[in-house]
Amino acid sequence: MITATSSPNIALIKYWGNRNDALRLPAADSLSMVLDTPTVEASVELSDVFTVQSYDANGTEKPQTEQSVARLAHHFTLAKEYLVSLGRGKNLPKNISLTIRSAIPPAIGIASSAAVFSCLGEAYGALVEGRPLSREEVSILSRLGSGSAGRNSYGGFVALINHADGMASSYAEQIADEHHWPLHDIVIVPSVKEKKVGSTEGHAAAATSPLFAERLRAIPKRMRECISALRTRDFEKLQVVSEEDALEMHRVMESQNPPLQYLSDETHRILKEIEGLRKSEKLNVLHTMDAGPTVHLICAEDSVQTVTEFAEAQKNCLIFKTKTGKSSRLITS
Ligand code: DP6
């Protein structure tokens, strides 16, 4: 049995839209911070038929939808295709049984797909005979299941960079490891309602937004600025570029066809209040939102106490605290 572990990541320069939906090849580069909690573990065993069993934080079995099993099975097929293309296809199993244990509490606004598929990228990489796969190769295996999962194959701050064409043409590059600049992510969840449209469908319609082409033109400069802010630990620079990018991604989502409105009135209220507090208390805090109303408040050590108190004072919101973490990795093989 092969077992791997991983956790989610939070994007500072967002991935939205693909140049190839089937292979999850992003239309542009993106960059995120890998988080240290909550964790997911995935185990792979050889089997005659493809099966999936999934358990929540309490060890209770979660029923799998047909759609989610089909996505996992398709990822396994793509992963084998990629390994064969590397000349590493010898003795790969025809089928496997997957056991996924997720400590990600339901509805905390942290997408689990990056954590799940990066575990699977690690585990599938361990199916090959001979030399271990490189971190780039593991990143590609993970990305084939969920675009953002491709950014978990290193710890700390990780970019997903586009290269020439083909299945293997987008993979991770580490900008700085998890010890370089420990940052906190205080997550405020205003609503636990399930979103109606997931990222996969959303990515596929991104190009229908009249703002999409302009976004693609803006990203290379933002990537350079974000990388420079991270390398020099310049919080203000990081705040300006990441907030601009996240809010622009939401304008793209809201103007695509059909439009996706992930931010709620509560999200906007929280943003306004934290911006006021940041100004009055001179806090090193930035806000960012993925495909949902959840607000991630990323902050430096000197500001974490005030930001946590602000989060805990929010009525009817779930709060989750996490920070910069390590890469996806094998536990047993
Ligand atoms: C808004 O990686 O979740 O969180 O490939 O369909 O699983 P799939 O998409 P996913 O897209 C992430 C979108 C985002 C921004 C980001 O994390 O960069």
Side-chain angles (χ1 to χ4, degrees):
M1 185 164 76
I2 300 167
T3 304
T5 186
S6 190
S7 39
N9 65 64
I10 177 68
L12 296 162
I13 301 295
K14 307 289 186 185
Y15 150 49
W16 194 246
N18 289 317
R19 62 196 155 97
N20 181 324
D21 287 317
L23 296 177
R24 290 188 153 82
L25 287 168
D29 296 345
S30 62
L31 201 164
S32 62
M33 174 168 102
V34 176
L35 302 174
D36 75 337
T37 51
T39 53
V40 168
E41 267 184 36
S43 299
V44 172
E45 280 176 288
L46 308 194
S47 164
D48 291 337
V49 277
F50 186 90
T51 62
V52 183
Q53 274 179 308
S54 178
Y55 299 90
D56 70 12
N58 305 317
T60 309
E61 186 162 1
K62 292 191 286 187
Q64 291 297 295
T65 62
E66 224 173 273
Q67 198 188 6
S68 126
V69 176
R71 179 172 175 179
L72 288 160
H74 182 61
H75 177 224
F76 179 59
T77 305
L78 280 179
K80 284 197 293 185
E81 215 174 283
Y82 171 59
L83 293 172
V84 168
S85 78
L86 291 177
R88 309 296 301 274
K90 198 171 157 219
N91 293 333
L92 286 178
K94 197 160 180 292
N95 265 316
I96 50 167
S97 79
L98 287 180
T99 308
I100 299 168
R101 293 176 201 281
S102 172
I104 303 185
I108 58 162
I110 289 189
S112 60
S113 65
V116 169
F117 285 98
S118 54
C119 269
L120 296 177
E122 296 288 345
Y124 296 164
L127 292 171
V128 300
E129 296 179 350
R131 73 155 177 92
L133 294 190
S134 68
R135 299 316 294 162
E136 284 86 1
E137 289 164 341
V138 170
S139 166
I140 292 162
L141 282 175
S142 305
R143 195 214 74 228
L144 288 168
S146 173
S148 56
R151 299 185 303 232
N152 272 66
S153 55
Y154 294 100
F157 301 93
V158 185
L160 190 68
I161 304 286
N162 271 334
H163 298 268
D165 217 17
M167 192 180 221
S169 63
S170 179
Y171 51 84
E173 196 178 291
Q174 188 177 46
I175 304 305
D177 73 14
E178 61 273 27
H179 308 294
H180 170 73
W181 195 12
L183 294 176
H184 297 265
D185 182 7
I186 310 299
V187 186
I188 306 180
V189 189
S191 162
V192 296
K193 265 200 267 154
E194 283 246 347
K195 57 188 174 203
K196 285 193 217 90
V197 182
S199 299
T200 304
E201 267 176 81
H203 284 296
T208 62
S209 162
L211 306 177
F212 187 63
E214 193 186 317
R215 171 167 175 75
L216 295 187
R217 280 195 293 276
I219 286 184
K221 181 162 174 268
R222 282 194 203 136
M223 283 292 289
R224 287 195 295 277
E225 280 172 6
C226 190
I227 290 169
S228 148
L230 290 169
R231 290 205 169 126
T232 57
R233 301 186 191 85
D234 182 338
F235 198 92
E236 202 184 322
K237 190 170 179 178
L238 183 66
Q239 178 226 310
V240 171
V241 70
S242 59
E243 289 184 0
E244 176 186 271
D245 185 74
L247 294 172
E248 186 202 59
M249 175 186 74
H250 283 280
R251 286 196 297 275
V252 169
M253 291 164 156
E254 288 161 15
S255 58
Q256 63 187 56
N257 186 13
L260 291 176
Q261 180 66 51
Y262 286 126
L263 306 185
S264 66
D265 290 348
E266 270 296 88
T267 311
H268 288 292
R269 179 191 62 76
I270 294 166
L271 298 189
K272 213 165 155 215
E273 286 187 17
I274 194 68
E275 284 174 8
L277 192 68
R278 170 166 73 200
K279 206 166 170 201
S280 63
E281 304 288 313
K282 300 195 168 31
L283 297 175
N284 284 313
V285 61
L286 67 87
H287 52 67
T288 188
M289 290 74 60
D290 281 344
T294 295
V295 180
H296 291 253
L297 296 177
I298 298 178
C299 55
E301 197 59 52
D302 61 3
S303 303
V304 67
Q305 195 181 331
T306 313
V307 172
T308 306
E309 283 164 14
F310 167 81
E312 284 171 348
Q314 302 302 311
K315 290 199 182 68
N316 306 319
C317 290
L318 287 174
I319 307 300
F320 191 81
K321 297 170 217 168
T322 180
K323 58 182 194 309
T324 325
K326 291 196 272 203
S327 71
S328 53
R329 58 207 173 271
L330 289 174
I331 317 179
T332 52
S333 61

